[in-house]
Amino acid sequence: MKKTPLALLALVAGFALVSGGCATKKYVAQQTGAVHTRVDGVEKQVEENQQAIRKTDARVTETQERVGKNEQATAAASKTSQEALVRAQEAGKLAEGKFLYESVLTDDKVRFGFNAAELSPEAKTALDEFAAKLAADNKSVYLEIQGHTDSVGRDEYNEELGLERAEAVRNYLSRTHKFPLHRMNIISYGESEPVADNSTREGRGQNRRVVLVVLQ
């Protein structure tokens, strides 16, 4: 049967619609795939960002905990140790600005004689133990060595005596244990910061002391 031009035109139009429909579906599929790819990429980026945020939060929490512990340790330190921390911070001597601990060498341990600054065998033993702890901790620390006296004698003399006691400790740590001199500072409080009653023999013995403040 012979097709009329009108029938042929209808056939061509129908084919075009079918072809167009197929092309449209293919285009939609391509675009949908592209959208899915972009969505997957965004989701991956979001997850990476969230992981980075969680890591940052963990570091912040860790830092806050360290700061809190340091603040607690500093608050528990003696007045003179807190002053040592401030002096070292102002001088730029510290890596982290932290107070670690203090070690007090009193007459009970080191037997500083009346009006004397020499280190007794007991004092050297106590300093040997202190140096061994520093070595075991394996930390880069800074020391302030504070000399104290009882109230017997003139203020000026006690100021000098306290400094001599601190100097004796610094020299021993440097010469015997090779602790660097640039990581130690000495200071004398003389009789100005007693920890016990100077009216008793026992109290005066406690006030004749050297305090080693360990900072980082």
Side-chain angles (χ1 to χ4, degrees):
M1 180 172 106
K2 188 175 180 181
K3 295 184 184 287
T4 64
L6 184 59
L8 288 173
L9 183 61
L11 182 61
V12 170
F15 180 76
L17 286 173
V18 172
S19 300
C22 292
T24 302
K25 289 180 181 179
K26 184 177 180 181
Y27 174 79
V28 170
Q30 289 175 344
Q31 293 303 309
T32 301
V35 169
H36 287 163
T37 300
R38 288 197 297 272
V39 169
D40 291 342
V42 170
E43 288 178 344
K44 182 179 179 181
Q45 186 63 49
V46 169
E47 178 60 26
E48 290 176 352
N49 290 341
Q50 289 176 339
Q51 289 178 356
I53 291 170
R54 285 194 290 269
K55 289 180 180 179
T56 300
D57 288 344
R59 287 195 296 269
V60 170
T61 300
E62 182 181 354
T63 300
Q64 289 174 337
E65 289 175 352
R66 286 202 304 268
V67 171
K69 290 179 180 178
N70 188 43
E71 288 177 346
Q72 291 174 1
T74 303
S78 67
K79 173 178 175 288
T80 60
S81 289
Q82 293 181 17
E83 291 171 351
L85 178 60
V86 172
R87 281 189 288 267
Q89 288 173 329
E90 290 177 345
K93 296 290 186 178
L94 305 182
E96 299 183 24
K98 293 172 59 177
F99 166 80
L100 297 182
Y101 59 90
E102 62 182 39
S103 181
V104 182
L105 308 181
T106 66
D107 224 21
D108 295 336
K109 285 185 178 180
V110 303
R111 297 184 183 175
F112 279 116
F114 178 71
N115 285 346
E118 293 78 15
L119 297 177
S120 65
E122 293 84 359
K124 293 178 180 179
T125 298
L127 288 172
D128 291 341
E129 293 172 355
F130 174 79
K133 175 172 172 53
L134 290 182
D137 291 343
N138 193 29
K139 292 181 178 179
S140 179
V141 298
Y142 177 79
L143 304 180
E144 181 173 280
I145 306 169
Q146 303 172 348
H148 298 262
T149 71
D150 59 31
S151 62
V152 178
R154 292 178 293 107
D155 291 351
E156 296 81 3
Y157 177 79
N158 286 332
E159 185 81 18
E160 182 179 348
L161 181 59
L163 198 63
E164 290 175 356
R165 288 173 175 167
E167 180 65 31
V169 169
R170 178 169 67 174
N171 287 340
Y172 185 79
L173 290 175
S174 174
R175 294 171 183 172
T176 304
H177 295 284
K178 310 305 179 185
F179 196 87
L181 284 171
H182 70 275
R183 287 164 54 193
M184 291 186 286
N185 182 53
I186 61 172
I187 188 171
S188 174
Y189 278 90
E191 64 183 73
S192 65
E193 294 292 337
V195 293
D197 187 353
N198 273 304
S199 65
T200 68
R201 181 177 180 179
E202 181 181 351
R204 289 192 296 274
Q206 292 180 47
N207 290 330
R208 292 194 295 269
R209 70 196 190 279
V210 169
V211 179
L212 297 105
V213 184
V214 184
L215 308 168
Q216 187 176 29

